[in-house]
Amino acid sequence: MTALRPIPAGSTSIAVLANALSVDPPAGPDTVVSGVTLDSRSVQSGDLYAALPGATTHGARFASGARDAGATAILTDPVGAQLVAEQGVVLPVLVHPEPRAVLGHLSALVYGTDRLKMPLIGITGTNGKTTTAYLIHSALVALGRQVGLIGTVETRIGDERVRSVRTTPEAPDLHALLATMAQRGMDACVMEVSSHALSQHRVDGVIYDLALFTNLSQDHLDFHHDMEDYFAAKASLFTPARSQSGLVCVDDDWGLRLAGQSEIPIDTLTTQPGGLADWTVTIDPHDPHRFVLRGRGDELHLVSALPGAFNVTNTAMAAAALLLLGVDGAAAQRAVLADPHVPGRMERVVLDDGRDDLPAVVVDYAHTPDAIRAALEALRPVTAGTLVCVTGAGGDRDRDKRAAMGRAAALADVVIVTDDNPRSEDPGSIREAVLRGARAETGGVTVLEVGDRREAIARAVAIAAGVEPGGDAPGATALVAIMGKGHETGQEIGGEVHPFDDRAEALSALEAAATQLGEASA
């Protein structure tokens, strides 16, 4: 992220930072810092190096390298201060018992993001964060705004794009990005806010003008103790320390609960018939993509550009957010209808040769039971023929959801269970858990196991295309849904990341099927 740091517009003295921490300033002459980083490899001249305790080592062990790279001061805990002294590093050291907990606020002081005038929109929830963020971003761009975007797929500052490492950056990188956006004249920033980021103080020092909650379902229970802990992390976004106002979808019990306990002014939204909320959605009975959003005197006639009831919700949330940000109703209606491209979210993969005898292929990031179920429920009505689902589960992550993911995938006619990102786990044991869930479902679903993901995708397309047995109605009426990795361009196996893109593999599989069909008809 250092490439997207702001041009230093000033500097902050160590004395000011010490005062913010309510600790005595380091002995010796005062010094200044113009940047912050917690990665010793990213230190630039004038930086405050945050030497934090980690899972395997302490960041203070790299203090000498940070000094040599140009760091002018260090933030650490008492253990880190001792490690710095043992290395003979002579730099001002700010000592705090929980340095990570104060890092965001110090970063805000250094980068001047404690006084941002640029509106900030933060989106949290289990599913829908990325899509809703892109919908708001594309709508604001359609309105002629210069907009920043921070999320799972990428970071955007106007036309500049950088691939994201994580959904929400570490606090120093986040504040540097926001300062860069302000310097470059962005009119607003839309960003995803993960539960990890909220729990790990990554968004500390950021005050969102509007916070959105989409939904909550089982995920990340390898990190959170239980669903209560997961919910508490999400709910912390809706407090005065982090947001000024909120928009909460109350279609699930978690949303209703959040709306009832929020510490900031909240608008509610529902898509349920007869539901009570500040914003209501009425879906056209003849076209499930068309709907009317009503609330606070506005009535918007909208169309979801993406399939599925959940994308109606995402579109409605985006539209309501625009209105709450002060956009005129007519302008918001036009802007939301701008065609968004959301990488790896219900993304179609098609050949450019215009063939009409091949199955449709959709790549989606769905990696929770609810997301898989919702995606397949959205695709079933538009699939006249065989619906084939390719899915797997990630290693070193919430194990309890794997069988439920398999059960959700069994909404398809054919389920091919394959590897996702096995990471350090045995891939076969992960597949077995997903298979157990898929095979528990009745109704004639065909369940196959193909460990190699490239082969699994090729097999799915071949079945849907009719060049391999397995589909009842193959060809142009069939559809392949490839779930789990979405926009990702790598597959992590045994600690090594191999280049892999579901979209590229799907395209190759379609080309192979086209060739086989051509040979068969020759």
Side-chain angles (χ1 to χ4, degrees), residues 435-490:
L435 286 163
R436 187 165 56 249
R439 288 170 175 161
E441 294 299 300
T442 58
V445 59
T446 299
V447 181
L448 306 173
E449 179 181 8
V450 182
D452 182 273
R453 193 172 181 91
R454 179 175 287 109
E455 182 184 344
I457 292 171
R459 183 98 175 264
V461 172
I463 290 172
V467 297
E468 181 174 324
D472 295 329
T477 61
L479 187 145
V480 178
I482 306 172
M483 303 290 183
K485 290 172 60 59
H487 64 281
E488 293 178 358
T489 56

Side-chain angles (χ1 to χ4, degrees), residues 16 19 59 114 192 235 247 253 298 303 336 411 416 481 517:
V16 169
N19 182 65
D114 56 332
E192 301 175 49
L247 173 64
D253 290 340
D298 282 298
V303 180
V336 173
L411 290 172
I416 300 181
L517 289 171

